[in-house]
Amino acid sequence: MAGGGSLSSAGPFFFGAMGWPCRHVSATSSWMDALSAFGLFAVSFTLVCYALEARAAIWTLLFAIGCLLGSAYGFLQGAWPFGLVELAWFVVALRRWGQLRRIERERGNPSLDTTLPRA
């Protein structure tokens, strides 16, 4: 066994296919708690918004909100580096949304082409 221990000394853990310790989930426990469900929603929402960003600027704003939700999830679960990076993505996406809104206003109507002009 990895690390020289035995399965009985692993306590509440068992070793997965890669040899990394994994928490054992008993048949009576819930397979997903509320925080995990929130995290799954946050990253799924962000992915959908990212996939639809080219359609309209509103998807970029929604992507920014998804990044903010992902940041909250990171901080709540104790993964503060993830929380900080998602917070940075929120700022980047919010700035991009502002640029796209400016472009849409200059054109006089919302457009499906949301690519930024070269600086």
Side-chain angles (χ1 to χ4, degrees):
M1 165 139 326
S6 69
L7 194 55
S8 61
S9 67
F13 296 96
F14 71 95
F15 290 88
M18 299 296 291
W20 296 101
C22 304
R23 219 174 249 294
H24 175 70
V25 178
S26 70
T28 60
S29 70
S30 172
W31 67 275
M32 184 182 300
D33 61 4
L35 183 58
S36 296
F38 173 69
L40 178 63
F41 169 76
V43 297
S44 299
F45 178 75
T46 304
L47 176 65
V48 168
C49 294
Y50 178 77
L52 297 173
E53 266 190 315
R55 295 182 180 226
I58 188 67
W59 291 106
T60 304
L61 175 62
L62 293 173
F63 174 78
I65 292 168
C67 291
L68 191 59
L69 293 173
S71 177
Y73 169 70
F75 285 118
L76 287 171
Q77 74 147 346
W80 62 266
F82 180 81
L84 285 177
V85 170
E86 283 294 312
L87 198 56
W89 271 113
F90 166 71
V91 172
V92 168
L94 208 54
R95 291 187 66 201
R96 180 166 166 81
W97 174 72
Q99 292 171 336
L100 293 172
R101 288 295 299 149
R102 229 178 352 271
I103 291 169
E104 285 181 350
R105 278 195 303 270
E106 289 171 2
R107 290 181 182 166
N109 60 358
S111 172
L112 292 178
D113 180 18
T114 59
T115 56
L116 293 174
R118 293 183 185 232

